[in-house]
């Protein structure tokens, strides 16, 4: 993910960039969900049966810590469908692992809101546009109102732990401005904008992805909002995900506004390093499969059959070792791109989905249109 607001503020103000100095794990604890979202990479539904036991999860958590995982995103399906979710998160806290709950918010109630805030370091709730757009996209009428009630309820505790998550597609594109208006009106401290990755229902619905011209317009709008918030000192953080090329467009805008900080920004972007799948990012799915990211077409191990330490550190596969080369050795326009050391070539999952070649250029890269 690209924390552009944090980078912008820290470089201009001469402060260190927020960094975890470790790896991020996204764990799909369940494939059970009360929604049927068009873009869902795990094709979750309410009929799914949990494979991961509490015992297996608690046994694996210390191994994540031992292997440099500092941040664990609780994902699914809908993680709040698990009765043991607070026990799992509490164990993370004991181990010093930062926890992030990714939820649709429908199970957030007055009876558990305080417990959620006390347990998790951050809560991201999915909002994909205005009421009609969101409900259609999420597959349930009334889900927008329910999700926004959860946002407002959690925010009423004034702990600045809650943000909204928005996925950019052709269906939600026209509501991008609405999302920022919503954040401003409801004083939501963080907006996460995710680009579509071709996996799960996102692959089934490939035609929902933006054109490159639409993406450039959308990203420019997002970046302009970040600069606006910085200049007006509005405390709303913007993060984008699954499109590391956003950092290049950001850099181009930044050096025009703050040329005196151009070198420092470039150094920090290179240190950030772009796409981190298999390097500083991993996924464990609801079957215990370990992948370089949640969308990845290949499995590198399974925690039921192997020790996590062997999978991630001691006996990495050739694929994992190749992913860890930085910058990656890629083909197509990536091969000679001057920005490869910053974006690291973007998504290997999108490259594989379109070209059948994991080392091809990311087909969603829009830089030629800048």
């Amino acid at each position: 993910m690209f924390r552009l607001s944090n980078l912008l503020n820290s470089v201009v103000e001469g402060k260190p960039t927020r960094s975890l100095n470790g790896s991020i794990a996204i764990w799909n604890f369940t494939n059970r969900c009360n929604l049927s979202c068009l873009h869902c990479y795990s094709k979750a539904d309410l009929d799914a049966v949990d494979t991961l036991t509490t015992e297996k999860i608690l046994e694996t958590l210390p191994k994540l810590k031992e292997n440099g995982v500092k941040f664990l995103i609780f994902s699914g399906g809908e993680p709040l469908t698990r009765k043991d979710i607070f026990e799992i998160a509490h164990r993370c806290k004991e181990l010093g692992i930062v926890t992030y709950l990714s939820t649709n918010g429908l199970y957030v109630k007055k009876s558990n809101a305080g417990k959620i805030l006390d347990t998790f370091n951050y809560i991201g709730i999915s909002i994909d546009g205005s009421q009609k757009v969101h409900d259609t996209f999420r597959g349930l009428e009334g889900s927008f109102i329910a999700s926004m009630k959860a946002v407002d309820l959690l925010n009423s505790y004034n702990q600045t732990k809650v943000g909204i998550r928005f996925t950019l597609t052709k269906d939600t594109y026209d509501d991008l401005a609405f999302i920022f208006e919503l954040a401003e009106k409801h004083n939501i401290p963080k907006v996460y904008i995710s680009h579509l990755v071709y996996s799960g229902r996102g692959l089934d619905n490939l035609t929902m992805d933006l054109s490159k011209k639409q993406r450039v317009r959308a990203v420019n709008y997002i970046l302009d909002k970040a600069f606006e918030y910085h200049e007006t000192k509005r405390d709303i953080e913007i993060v984008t995900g699954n499109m590391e090329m956003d950092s290049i467009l950001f850099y181009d805008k930044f050096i025009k506004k703050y040329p005196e900080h151009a070198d420092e920004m470039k150094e920090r972007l290179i240190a950030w390093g772009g796409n981190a799948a298999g390097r500083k990012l991993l996924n464990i799915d609801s079957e215990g499969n370990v992948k370089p990211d949640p969308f990845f077409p290949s499995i590198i191990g399974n925690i039921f059959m192997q020790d996590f330490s062997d999978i991630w550190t001691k006996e990495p596969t050739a694929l994992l070792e190749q992913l860890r080369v930085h910058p990656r050795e890629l083909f197509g326009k990536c091969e000679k791109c001057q920005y490869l050391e910053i974006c690291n070539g973007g998504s290997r999952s999108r490259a594989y989905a379109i070209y059948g070649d994991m080392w091809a250029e990311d087909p969603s890269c829009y830089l030629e249109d800048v």
Side-chain angles (χ1 to χ4, degrees), residues 146-200:
S147 294
M148 279 307 302
K149 281 184 178 178
V151 172
D152 289 337
L153 173 61
L154 293 171
N155 259 341
S156 70
Y157 287 73
N158 296 316
Q159 293 191 28
T160 64
K161 283 186 172 185
V162 185
I164 54 176
R165 301 167 54 87
F166 172 82
T167 301
L168 262 174
T169 70
K170 285 180 179 175
D171 299 303
T172 64
Y173 173 75
D174 289 335
D175 276 12
L176 178 60
F178 172 86
I179 289 297
F180 286 99
E181 291 166 5
L182 198 68
E184 293 164 10
K185 180 179 179 181
H186 291 256
N187 294 311
I188 299 168
K190 184 174 180 178
V191 179
Y192 174 85
I193 310 290
S194 178
H195 295 266
L196 188 69
V197 181
Y198 311 146
S199 180

Side-chain angles (χ1 to χ4, degrees), residues 69-183:
V69 172
K70 300 285 185 69
F71 188 108
L72 182 57
I73 298 176
F74 285 55
S75 190
E78 170 51 55
L80 288 176
T81 61
R82 288 194 67 117
K83 294 180 180 179
D84 59 0
I85 205 71
F86 293 106
E87 181 182 357
I88 296 166
H90 179 70
R91 181 59 180 140
C92 288
K93 186 177 289 187
E94 290 179 338
L95 291 166
I97 298 174
V98 176
T99 56
Y100 175 124
L101 175 65
S102 179
T103 176
N104 58 43
L106 271 62
Y107 291 128
V108 177
K109 309 295 180 185
K110 287 183 179 179
S111 59
N112 66 5
K115 188 174 184 180
I116 289 171
L117 288 165
D118 288 341
T119 304
F120 292 94
N121 296 88
Y122 179 78
I123 302 98
I125 296 180
S126 300
I127 301 290
D128 283 299
S130 55
Q131 183 173 341
K132 183 178 180 180
V133 171
H134 175 94
D135 287 359
T136 301
F137 197 69
R138 294 274 159 183
L140 180 68
E141 188 174 350
S143 59
F144 173 84
I145 291 174
S147 294
M148 279 307 302
K149 281 184 178 178
V151 172
D152 289 337
L153 173 61
L154 293 171
N155 259 341
S156 70
Y157 287 73
N158 296 316
Q159 293 191 28
T160 64
K161 283 186 172 185
V162 185
I164 54 176
R165 301 167 54 87
F166 172 82
T167 301
L168 262 174
T169 70
K170 285 180 179 175
D171 299 303
T172 64
Y173 173 75
D174 289 335
D175 276 12
L176 178 60
F178 172 86
I179 289 297
F180 286 99
E181 291 166 5
L182 198 68

Side-chain angles (χ1 to χ4, degrees), residues 148-369:
M148 279 307 302
K149 281 184 178 178
V151 172
D152 289 337
L153 173 61
L154 293 171
N155 259 341
S156 70
Y157 287 73
N158 296 316
Q159 293 191 28
T160 64
K161 283 186 172 185
V162 185
I164 54 176
R165 301 167 54 87
F166 172 82
T167 301
L168 262 174
T169 70
K170 285 180 179 175
D171 299 303
T172 64
Y173 173 75
D174 289 335
D175 276 12
L176 178 60
F178 172 86
I179 289 297
F180 286 99
E181 291 166 5
L182 198 68
E184 293 164 10
K185 180 179 179 181
H186 291 256
N187 294 311
I188 299 168
K190 184 174 180 178
V191 179
Y192 174 85
I193 310 290
S194 178
H195 295 266
L196 188 69
V197 181
Y198 311 146
S199 180
R201 291 194 192 107
L203 180 57
D204 294 342
N205 296 281
L206 190 58
T207 55
M208 74 167 64
D209 200 14
L210 302 180
S211 68
K212 291 185 178 181
K213 288 185 178 180
Q214 284 178 313
R215 197 179 307 282
V216 170
R217 285 197 292 269
V219 175
N220 271 314
Y221 182 84
I222 293 165
L223 297 178
D224 287 343
K225 294 302 289 188
F227 282 102
E228 175 193 328
Y229 292 156
H230 170 75
E231 291 161 4
T232 60
K233 301 194 180 303
R234 184 71 189 257
D235 195 17
I236 298 176
E237 182 183 3
I238 301 175
V239 179
T240 68
N242 306 315
M243 190 62 64
E244 290 78 14
M245 289 68 74
D246 291 352
S247 63
I248 311 304
L249 198 58
F250 166 78
Y251 179 66
D252 183 62
K253 282 182 176 286
F254 179 87
I255 61 177
K256 291 174 182 174
K257 285 180 173 284
Y258 302 101
E260 69 277 18
H261 296 297
D263 291 342
E264 173 66 17
M265 178 58 76
K266 188 171 184 179
E267 286 179 12
R268 295 208 195 186
L269 287 170
I270 292 171
W272 165 66
N275 187 276
R279 192 166 53 96
K280 294 183 178 180
L281 175 68
L282 66 103
N283 169 245
I284 305 176
D285 71 15
S286 59
E287 302 293 321
N289 295 312
V290 182
K291 297 183 288 184
D293 71 29
F295 316 102
F296 220 80
S298 298
I299 293 166
I300 58 172
N302 185 289
I303 61 171
F304 286 105
M305 294 180 281
Q306 300 154 272
D307 187 282
F308 177 78
S309 297
D310 292 337
I311 297 169
W312 190 245
T313 306
K314 295 179 181 178
E315 301 173 8
T317 63
L319 170 63
L320 203 52
E321 290 183 329
Q322 197 169 355
L323 285 170
R324 289 172 176 173
V325 173
H326 189 272
R328 291 185 181 134
E329 297 173 355
L330 305 176
F331 302 107
K333 67 181 183 181
C334 291
E335 193 169 5
K336 296 182 179 179
C337 180
Q338 63 177 314
Y339 297 117
L340 185 60
E341 62 182 343
I342 292 177
C343 79
N344 207 24
S347 171
R348 301 300 87 223
S349 300
R350 279 194 293 255
Y352 185 82
I354 299 302
Y355 302 122
D357 182 352
M358 205 172 293
W359 311 108
E361 65 189 58
D362 184 335
S364 289
C365 178
Y366 53 79
L367 292 182
E368 72 269 24
D369 295 297

